[in-house]
Amino acid sequence: MLNDLQLNSILEDFDIAYWKINLLTKEITWSDHFESLVGKPSLEEPIFDFFINKVLHKDYKYDFRIAFDNLISTTDNLNQEIKIKIQNDKYRWFECRNLKSKENSSKEIAVLLFVNIHQSKRDQYTIEENFFYYRETAEMTSTGGWYIDGLSKSIYWDDVTKRIFDCPKDFQPDYEERMRFYATEHQQMAISMFDKCEKYGIPFKIELKMLTHHGREFWVVATGKPVYSDEQEIIGIRGVFQDIDVNKSNELNLQNSLDIIATQNSRLFNFAHVVSHNLRSHSSNLSLVAQLLTESNDAREKLNLLDNVVDISDNLDDAISELNSMVSHHGLLTKERSNVSFNKALDIVVAATSSLINRERAKIISEFTALKEINYIPEYLESILLNLITNAIRYKHPGRKPVIFIQTYMANDQCFMEVSDNGMGIDLEQYGDKMFGMYKTFHRNPDAKGIGLFITKNQVETMGGSISVTSTINIGTTFKIKF
């Protein structure tokens, strides 16, 4: 067998680097060429950890780790195409595959080759290779992949998607006529979700009524997320359609038979938490302005801050008056409902949290055209918006300014509101069942009290609605409320 010096010399001529792995001791040795490509880890950092954390592209960490563990534990073959960050901080495509040989009877060595395929990959790369699903799973679950190319304004469907929509295999969807596959009542919702994903990078997972190639209505779950270039610019959207028509029909039939009745105890419980939570928001805002006044040496800035104090004081007084009025009336749930403007409720919340919004340079975008008002308890709607907006700002992504998108719409004669952000996201696999529990927090934020989402869920359900959440780590979160 060739020694390391000979092997490295030969492979380097073909731009091939390699690892040598002792399958008994798990010790890894890099070739000189591999080290020249990616750099050298510190003495304190294990080679494999350095590769996973600082060299391998994040999209391939999970699969590579599984394949590597299988290689050293069961000697399964490893053959993957991965992206590696070389020393100029650019990612390049490599094909990683193993060659095995026994140097002697007591020591088994695996050689892991890294073949530079970047140029050929760019030349041959197809849209289908971007789809994030396994074909076998897609067939079993009626889940088809799609991709919208934002640069060429083209749409690509895989065979499963074409089958879901009763299209022939050679069918090519037209970008300009894409909305013809969406039911009329859901077209505006679809346009909005694609628009905010393309512009702001906000992912979506939503149930939609769609039309087949021949006009038959059916239900799907549409899931999508932005696709970024190496320069972190959004260049497209990729996702899946899952046919849920049978399950959705059963759900709608069941939903029509349900009537959620809130008891007086739950109303009093909600009211107590509205008092504590809403007043804490105003007092926190006031404390923040007081701190800024103390720290500021600029007279003009202090005058502006004093205006904020007046606004906060007025809002606090209004809140106390409204809460006092709620206490003085019997039968809150039935007597205090009124037509509430979403714009007006949002303006009140923005005014109450203006200091937090300005400090974090948050951007709030609203779209209430499809549903401008709702028959609701005003204080409840304001509290719901307050909790979801302040949560989105507190749990912003550290690498970007917080963007919050709020929209309302009608679907199947039901009123909906969605609050989406581009923040840190939540690991729903780990925390999904605890999402709306009392005193449950999911990030190490010192301001987190673990009560806001608990209050919000109880308020929504007390009014006969429901709330759900979808989230992707480092991409963002969407709360969906059915009133």
Side-chain angles (χ1 to χ4, degrees):
M1 180 177 179
L2 295 173
N3 60 40
D4 289 351
L5 184 60
Q6 292 171 321
L7 182 61
N8 188 71
S9 178
I10 294 171
L11 295 180
E12 187 172 352
D13 290 339
F14 296 95
D15 200 9
I16 301 174
Y18 70 90
W19 294 5
K20 287 186 68 176
I21 307 152
N22 188 314
L23 299 179
L24 300 179
T25 66
K26 311 300 186 294
E27 181 181 359
I28 300 172
T29 305
W30 287 357
S31 68
D32 292 342
H33 185 42
F34 191 85
E35 189 170 294
S36 70
L37 287 173
V38 304
K40 185 176 182 179
S42 63
L43 295 176
E44 297 80 14
E45 188 171 19
I47 283 179
F48 188 77
D49 291 346
F50 174 76
F51 176 76
I52 289 291
N53 297 327
K54 299 180 181 178
V55 177
L56 183 62
H57 191 281
K58 62 180 181 180
D59 289 349
Y60 305 93
K61 290 182 179 181
Y62 178 80
D63 289 338
F64 183 84
R65 189 186 292 273
I66 295 297
F68 186 82
D69 287 344
N70 288 336
L71 171 65
I72 63 176
S73 60
T74 64
T75 66
D76 284 350
N77 286 330
L78 191 159
N79 194 334
Q80 290 185 349
E81 292 180 354
I82 57 178
K83 279 185 177 180
I84 292 177
K85 183 165 67 173
I86 60 178
Q87 291 207 65
N88 63 2
D89 286 334
K90 298 290 186 180
Y91 282 98
R92 293 292 181 264
W93 281 99
F94 284 81
E95 180 184 5
C96 179
R97 62 177 184 268
N98 71 296
L99 298 174
K100 291 183 297 181
S101 64
K102 288 188 177 181
E103 291 191 345
N104 54 55
S105 58
S106 63
K107 183 178 180 183
E108 185 173 15
I109 298 296
V111 177
L112 203 57
L113 300 179
F114 292 81
V115 183
N116 191 334
I117 59 169
H118 189 73
Q119 188 58 46
S120 62
K121 188 70 174 178
R122 291 184 61 182
D123 294 341
Q124 300 173 10
Y125 196 79
T126 58
I127 295 300
E128 287 76 9
E129 289 172 320
N130 275 330
F131 291 159
F132 56 102
Y133 69 99
Y134 293 101
R135 182 171 299 276
E136 293 81 3
T137 304
E139 292 287 347
M140 289 188 295
T141 60
S142 293
T143 304
W146 51 265
Y147 179 78
I148 299 177
D149 190 326
L151 302 179
S152 64
K153 301 300 181 185
S154 302
I155 299 177
Y156 302 87
W157 284 359
D158 71 352
D159 291 342
V160 180
T161 300
K162 293 177 183 178
R163 191 190 69 200
I164 291 174
F165 285 87
D166 293 335
C167 296
K169 284 191 175 183
D170 60 352
F171 177 77
Q172 176 59 46
D174 188 333
Y175 183 85
E176 299 300 329
E177 297 182 0
R178 62 194 182 281
M179 283 298 116
R180 79 178 183 89
F181 288 98
Y182 295 82
T184 303
E185 63 268 32
H186 284 184
Q187 286 184 1
Q188 189 58 45
M189 188 195 320
I191 291 172
S192 176
M193 74 182 185
F194 282 116
D195 186 60
K196 64 181 181 180
C197 185
E198 183 178 14
K199 290 182 178 179
Y200 308 112
I202 296 176
F204 58 84
K205 184 175 184 180
I206 189 171
E207 294 180 355
L208 290 171
K209 185 188 291 185
M210 303 194 72
L211 304 175
T212 67
H213 189 57
H214 305 290
R216 176 180 62 85
E217 290 187 346
F218 71 109
W219 283 90
V220 303
V221 170
T223 305
K225 67 177 184 179
V227 176
Y228 292 91
S229 67
D230 290 341
E231 290 73 30
Q232 292 302 299
E233 295 179 352
I234 299 174
I235 58 174
I237 305 173
R238 65 180 180 181
V240 295
F241 289 128
Q242 182 178 13
D243 186 345
I244 59 164
D245 195 53
V246 174
N247 292 337
K248 185 64 179 180
S249 297
N250 293 335
E251 178 187 332
L252 291 175
N253 291 333
L254 179 61
Q255 187 64 38
N256 290 334
S257 66
L258 295 177
D259 184 14
I260 302 175
I261 302 175
T263 64
Q264 186 64 33
N265 283 340
S266 67
R267 295 173 212 156
L268 293 173
F269 177 80
N270 286 333
F271 173 73
H273 283 293
V274 169
V275 172
S276 63
H277 202 65
N278 283 14
L279 293 186
R280 185 171 69 85
S281 174
H282 291 294
S283 64
S284 297
N285 208 22
L286 188 60
S287 296
L288 177 61
V289 174
Q291 179 183 350
L292 294 175
L293 275 168
T294 303
E295 296 174 352
S296 176
N297 295 319
D298 184 90
R300 184 180 296 275
E301 183 179 357
K302 285 190 174 185
L303 288 175
N304 291 333
L305 289 170
L306 286 174
D307 290 337
N308 286 340
V309 172
V310 173
D311 292 338
I312 295 170
S313 175
D314 291 341
N315 283 309
L316 180 59
D317 184 63
D318 291 341
I320 293 173
S321 298
E322 290 167 356
L323 292 170
N324 183 62
S325 177
M326 290 170 68
V327 172
S328 64
H329 286 78
H330 180 68
L332 171 68
L333 192 58
T334 56
K335 293 186 179 182
E336 290 297 324
R337 282 178 178 258
S338 62
N339 288 334
V340 186
S341 164
F342 284 100
N343 269 320
K344 183 178 179 181
L346 179 60
D347 287 344
I348 292 172
V349 172
V350 169
T353 57
S354 58
S355 296
L356 177 64
I357 293 172
N358 292 333
R359 185 187 69 184
E360 302 297 342
R361 294 186 293 174
K363 184 175 183 180
I364 299 178
I365 304 162
S366 60
E367 177 52 67
F368 302 138
T369 304
L371 180 63
K372 296 181 179 180
E373 62 180 21
I374 189 172
N375 191 256
Y376 218 65
I377 297 177
E379 293 79 9
Y380 274 20
L381 182 59
E382 293 164 18
S383 179
I384 292 167
L385 284 169
L386 175 68
N387 284 329
L388 296 181
I389 290 173
T390 53
N391 266 6
I393 297 176
R394 289 192 183 106
Y395 302 125
K396 67 175 184 175
H397 191 282
R400 52 182 175 258
K401 298 176 184 177
V403 176
I404 304 165
F405 188 94
I406 308 170
Q407 67 170 347
T408 55
Y409 58 91
M410 296 285 296
N412 297 315
D413 298 325
Q414 294 282 346
C415 301
F416 291 88
M417 179 175 73
E418 291 187 7
V419 180
S420 305
D421 64 59
N422 65 340
M424 297 169 65
I426 302 166
D427 187 346
L428 295 180
E429 289 188 6
Q430 183 176 359
Y431 299 115
D433 58 339
K434 304 175 182 177
M435 190 72 202
F436 298 99
M438 184 181 288
Y439 306 124
K440 301 298 183 182
T441 58
F442 315 106
H443 297 289
R444 296 179 180 177
N445 189 312
D447 296 329
K449 304 297 181 183
I451 195 69
L453 291 181
F454 176 77
I455 295 172
T456 297
K457 182 175 187 292
N458 277 272
Q459 289 169 339
V460 171
E461 291 182 350
T462 294
M463 299 297 290
S466 62
I467 182 170
S468 59
V469 59
T470 58
S471 186
T472 303
I473 295 295
N474 292 326
I475 296 293
T477 301
T478 295
F479 288 94
K480 179 179 177 180
I481 297 171
K482 183 177 75 173
F483 292 105

